[in-house]
C-alpha cells in the first residue's frame, strides 16, 4: 500500500500552486499533543509564509485543512503523520503511520518523499509463520507492527482417548500424517500471503527445529527462497516479543543486502556521485537508486522536459526551457520512483560516503 502511495506521489504532475509535505510526530495522541502540533504548524508556516510571499495562494486553506484533520481524524495508535496537500488542485493525502517520523514541513511544487522512502526501507513488510505439531500462527509484520494474524489449529490431532487398540507404530504413523496435513495447510496459507506480494522483507519461520524442518518440506520453492531466518519463539509469545524479534531480523537482512549491492556500484553497471547518477537518471538507465542518510545537495529540474542537474544553468541545456531550483536528493527519489526503480537508503558507512552519498545500479 505504501508503495502505491509513493508511486502516486512521484508520478503526479507538478503542482500549479503550493504543494505541502508535512511530517509530524503524533507519539502522544492527546490534547496536549494536538496543541504541540498546532504550535509546530503555526511556527513553521509563519516562517514559510515570509519566504514564499505571494506564491502562498491557497496555503492558508491547506493549513486549515491539516489542522482540521489533526483534530478530527487521528487514530489513537498513530505515531507519525505524513500529509501531502496541493490546495489549488484539491489534493489532500494523509498517511497515518505506526512509527515516529522526523518533523518536517516543505512547500514547493512537488512532494517531499525522502522520509517515506527511508521509513519504508527501515520497516519492510515480512511474513512470520510460527508452527508446531498442532497449531500455527501466521503474521504479516509491517512498519514494525503486526498488520494481521491468522491462527490455524490442527483439528485432526489425535487425542489420547482416540487411540484404543492401535499399535504404537500405527499411532505414530497416524500422528505424523496429521502433522503433515497440518503443515501442508499452513504452508498453503503462507504461500497465499507471499503471493500477494506484500513481503518485501522476506519470510521468517519460528518453531522447534523438528517442526520447522518438517514444515519447510511443504513450502513451495518460491516461498522457501524468501526465508530470511528461523526463530525459536514460544508459541504463546506476546505481540511485542514477536515484532521485536522479527524487526531485528528483517532490518539486519535488508541492511546486509543493500550494503552488498552498494559495494558493486563503482563497477560498469553502476554510477556514483551526483553528476553520474543524475546523468544516468536523465537517460532513464537507473534500476536502483541508493542514497545515504547524510546525502544532501541542491540542484535543478527542467519545468518542461523534467531532466535534472546540479549546477543551475540559465536555461535547460536539453530544451532551453525554464529550470527550477530543487532539493536534488528529493528530485532523484521522485524520478527514480516514477521510473519504477527501487529506492534504497543506506544508514551504515559505505563506499558511497566517498561519492557524495549517492549511487545507482544501472539497467544497461
Ligand atoms: Zn528541458
Amino acid at each position: 500500500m505504501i508503495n502505491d502511495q509513493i508511486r502516486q506521489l512521484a508520478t503526479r504532475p507538478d503542482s500549479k500552486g503550493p504543494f505541502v509535505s508535512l511530517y509530524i510526530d503524533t507519539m502522544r495522541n492527546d490534547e496536549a499533543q494536538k496543541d504541540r502540533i498546532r504550535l509546530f504548524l503555526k511556527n513553521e508556516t509563519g516562517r514559510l509564509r515570509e519566504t514564499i510571499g505571494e506564491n502562498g495562494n491557497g496555503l492558508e486553506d491547506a493549513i486549515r485543512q491539516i489542522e482540521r484533520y489533526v483534530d478530527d481524524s487521528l487514530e489513537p495508535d498513530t505515531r507519525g503523520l505524513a500529509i501531502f496537500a496541493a490546495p489549488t488542485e484539491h489534493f489532500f493525502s494523509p498517511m497515518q503511520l505506526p512509527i515516529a517520523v522526523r518533523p518536517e514541513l516543505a512547500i514547493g511544487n512537488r512532494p517531499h518523499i525522502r522520509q517515506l522512502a527511508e521509513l519504508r526501507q527501515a520497516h519492510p513488510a515480512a511474513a512470520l509463520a510460527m508452527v508446531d505439531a498442532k497449531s500455527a500462527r501466521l503474521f504479516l509484520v509491517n512498519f514494525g507492527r503486526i498488520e494481521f494474524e491468522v491462527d490455524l489449529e490442527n483439528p485432526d490431532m489425535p487425542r489420547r482417548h482416540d487411540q484404543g487398540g492401535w499399535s504404537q507404530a500405527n499411532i505414530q504413523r497416524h500422528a505424523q500424517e496429521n502433522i503433515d496435513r497440518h503443515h501442508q495447510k499452513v504452508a498453503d496459507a503462507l504461500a497465499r500471503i507471499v503471493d500477494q506480494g506484500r513481503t518485501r522483507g522476506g519470510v521468517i519461520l519460528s518453531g522447534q527445529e523438528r517442526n520447522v524442518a518438517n514444515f519447510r518440506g511443504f513450502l513451495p520453492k518460491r516461498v522457501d527462497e524468501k526465508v530470511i531466518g528461523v526463530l525459536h519463539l514460544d508459541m504463546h509469545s506476546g505481540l511485542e516479543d514477536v515484532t521485536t524479534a522479527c524487526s531485528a531480523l528483517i532490518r539486519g537482512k535488508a541492511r546486509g543486502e543493500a550494503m552488498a549491492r552498494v559495494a558493486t556500484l563503482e563497477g560498469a553497471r553502476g554510477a556514483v556521485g551526483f553528476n553520474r547518477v543524475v546523468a544516468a537518471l536523465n537517460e532513464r538507465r537507473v534500476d536502483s537508486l541508493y542514497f545515504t542518510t547524510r546525502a544532501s545537495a541542491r540542484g535543478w529540474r527542467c519545468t518542461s522536459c523534467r531532466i535534472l542537474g546540479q549546477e543551475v544553468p540559465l536555461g535547460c541545456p536539453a530544451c532551453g526551457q525554464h529550470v527550477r531550483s530543487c532539493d536534488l536528493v528529493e528530485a532523484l527519489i521522485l524520478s527514480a520512483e516514477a521510473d519504477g526503480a527501487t529506492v534504497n537508503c543506506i544508514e551504515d558507512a559505505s563506499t558511497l560516503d566517498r561519492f557524495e552519498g549517492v549511487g545507482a545500479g544501472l539497467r544497461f
Side-chain angles (χ1 to χ4, degrees):
M1 190 154 117
I2 185 165
N3 285 330
D4 298 339
Q5 280 167 301
I6 289 180
R7 186 65 47 86
Q8 197 201 4
L9 288 168
T11 51
R12 274 183 65 77
D14 294 15
S15 184
K16 289 182 191 68
F19 192 104
V20 180
S21 306
L22 170 71
Y23 295 85
I24 29 182
D25 209 341
T26 56
M27 190 78 141
R28 285 176 40 219
N29 186 2
D30 55 15
E31 274 313 307
Q33 176 68 14
K34 283 180 181 171
D35 280 343
R36 271 192 295 276
I37 293 172
R38 280 187 212 106
L39 190 65
F40 171 80
L41 278 173
K42 191 163 162 265
N43 291 340
E44 288 295 301
T45 50
R47 191 175 58 78
L48 280 160
R49 257 185 223 115
E50 282 170 24
T51 48
I52 56 175
E54 64 190 42
N55 297 326
N57 294 336
L59 188 59
E60 304 299 325
D61 292 342
I63 292 164
R64 268 194 299 277
Q65 197 174 5
I66 290 167
E67 282 172 343
R68 260 202 314 277
Y69 183 83
V70 168
D71 280 343
D72 302 340
S73 308
L74 264 194
E75 299 292 338
D77 58 349
T78 295
R79 303 277 297 276
L81 176 64
I83 293 181
F84 301 94
T88 20
E89 278 115 43
H90 304 289
F91 177 79
F92 188 82
S93 175
M95 296 170 77
Q96 300 200 26
L97 302 164
I99 41 175
V101 300
R102 231 177 23 246
E104 177 184 347
L105 176 64
I107 299 187
N109 65 335
R110 304 178 78 207
H112 276 218
I113 62 167
R114 178 176 184 166
Q115 257 206 85
L116 274 190
E118 289 176 1
L119 294 170
R120 175 185 59 182
Q121 160 109 17
H123 305 279
L128 164 70
M130 292 172 79
V131 283
D132 67 14
K134 54 185 192 301
S135 65
R137 297 167 77 189
L138 293 181
F139 300 86
L140 185 70
V141 184
N142 195 13
F143 274 125
R145 88 173 160 186
I146 288 168
E147 200 157 293
F148 67 75
E149 176 181 358
V150 186
D151 284 299
L152 296 164
E153 294 292 328
N154 179 359
D156 303 325
M157 200 57 192
R159 299 197 183 85
R160 279 188 189 285
H161 62 261
D162 293 331
Q163 296 169 7
W166 284 36
S167 74
Q168 196 56 35
N170 256 336
I171 291 168
Q172 275 176 9
R173 197 181 59 239
H174 187 60
Q176 186 59 45
E177 281 168 4
N178 276 322
I179 294 170
D180 287 353
R181 227 184 346 260
H182 166 59
H183 284 174
Q184 176 72 65
K185 234 183 265 175
V186 179
D188 291 346
L190 177 60
R192 278 195 295 277
I193 294 173
V194 171
D195 289 342
Q196 285 167 2
R198 296 179 58 201
T199 51
R200 201 170 85 110
V203 171
I204 300 166
L205 306 179
S206 174
Q208 289 175 352
E209 259 163 64
R210 193 162 44 99
N211 280 320
V212 170
N214 194 68
F215 175 64
R216 284 187 91 153
F218 294 95
L219 281 181
K221 191 155 167 272
R222 65 179 190 284
V223 177
D224 197 64
E225 282 169 352
K226 287 207 156 64
V227 173
I228 60 167
V230 176
L231 298 171
H232 304 287
L233 296 165
D234 185 274
M235 271 311 269
H236 305 288
S237 295
L239 297 187
E240 190 135 343
D241 291 339
V242 170
T243 44
T244 306
C246 287
S247 295
L249 197 57
I250 298 164
R251 285 193 75 153
K253 177 73 179 173
R255 264 185 164 171
E257 278 176 2
M259 289 297 278
R261 277 174 295 164
V262 159
T264 69
L265 298 182
E266 274 185 87
R269 289 289 286 275
V272 285
F274 278 109
N275 265 330
R276 295 183 55 199
V277 171
V278 162
L281 207 55
N282 286 341
E283 292 161 9
R284 313 194 69 163
R285 291 164 64 205
V286 172
D287 166 67
S288 47
L289 174 72
Y290 300 85
F291 60 94
T292 67
T293 44
R294 295 159 299 281
S296 165
R298 296 295 299 177
W300 56 268
R301 177 166 174 274
C302 174
T303 52
S304 174
C305 73
R306 317 282 186 229
I307 67 165
L308 305 175
Q310 194 170 10
E311 311 279 313
V312 179
L314 286 175
C316 172
C319 73
Q321 294 296 307
H322 180 60
V323 301
R324 192 178 263 142
S325 140
C326 64
D327 178 319
L328 194 52
V329 179
E330 289 282 358
L332 286 172
I333 294 169
L334 285 169
S335 292
E337 278 289 342
D339 249 7
T342 65
V343 171
N344 310 272
C345 175
I346 305 298
E347 293 173 63
D348 307 295
S350 75
T351 49
L352 285 187
D353 295 332
R354 288 189 286 121
F355 301 98
E356 305 167 284
V358 289
L362 305 181
R363 292 188 223 268
F364 54 88

